[in-house]
Amino acid sequence: MVVDTLSIQDHAQALQGLLSTRTLNDFAAEARLDGESLSQAVERYEIDYAWSVLGSERLLDATLAALALQLKAAPSAPQSARVAAVLQAAAAAQPPEALMSFDNDVPQQLTGLLWPAAEPAHSA
């Protein structure tokens, strides 16, 4: 089993460097390049404030599901709590204007950061 000595804040900072966030102006420019309005792009990509996406139950559930796949077992209560704490810390560190999409690879990235060589708790 991997022994994780990094703090919640360390993991949140590492996750920050992997996040794909944009300003509203960036999303608008990308939408124009795709030939659509900003509202169409926001709806299609399910864009919201980054702090809201990172702090959502939806992203927490998706991350716990990714961890379960990697562990080949349901995450323990401490593992689940650690995932929630890192996501909340990353959400709190977001600039208020930063936007991101729910369609991202945060669950896989965070699972890799927290348990890079995770083994099932009951491996043979």
Side-chain angles (χ1 to χ4, degrees):
M1 185 69 135
V2 174
V3 176
D4 188 353
T5 59
L6 295 176
S7 73
I8 297 296
Q9 291 299 325
D10 291 334
H11 284 303
Q13 283 182 323
L15 183 60
Q16 294 290 100
L18 300 173
L19 294 177
S20 177
T21 62
R22 295 175 185 80
T23 66
L24 186 60
N25 287 337
D26 292 336
F27 271 115
E30 290 173 15
R32 280 192 299 275
L33 288 174
D34 292 338
E36 60 188 356
S37 70
L38 177 59
S39 63
Q40 289 169 323
V42 166
E43 184 176 323
R44 183 162 62 102
Y45 293 111
E46 298 184 78
I47 296 166
D48 202 345
Y49 290 104
W51 57 264
S52 179
V53 174
L54 290 167
S56 71
E57 285 293 317
R58 178 179 172 182
L59 190 60
L60 174 60
D61 291 345
T63 305
L64 292 174
L67 179 58
L69 284 174
Q70 184 166 333
L71 295 173
K72 296 180 180 38
S76 66
Q79 289 170 325
S80 297
R82 188 163 186 84
V83 168
V86 171
L87 287 172
Q88 289 300 316
Q94 287 298 308
E97 71 279 359
L99 301 172
M100 67 186 292
S101 172
F102 277 100
D103 181 22
N104 58 57
D105 59 355
V106 170
Q108 294 77 16
Q109 290 177 351
L110 183 54
T111 297
L113 281 173
L114 293 175
W115 293 278
E119 297 175 11
H122 48 64
S123 59

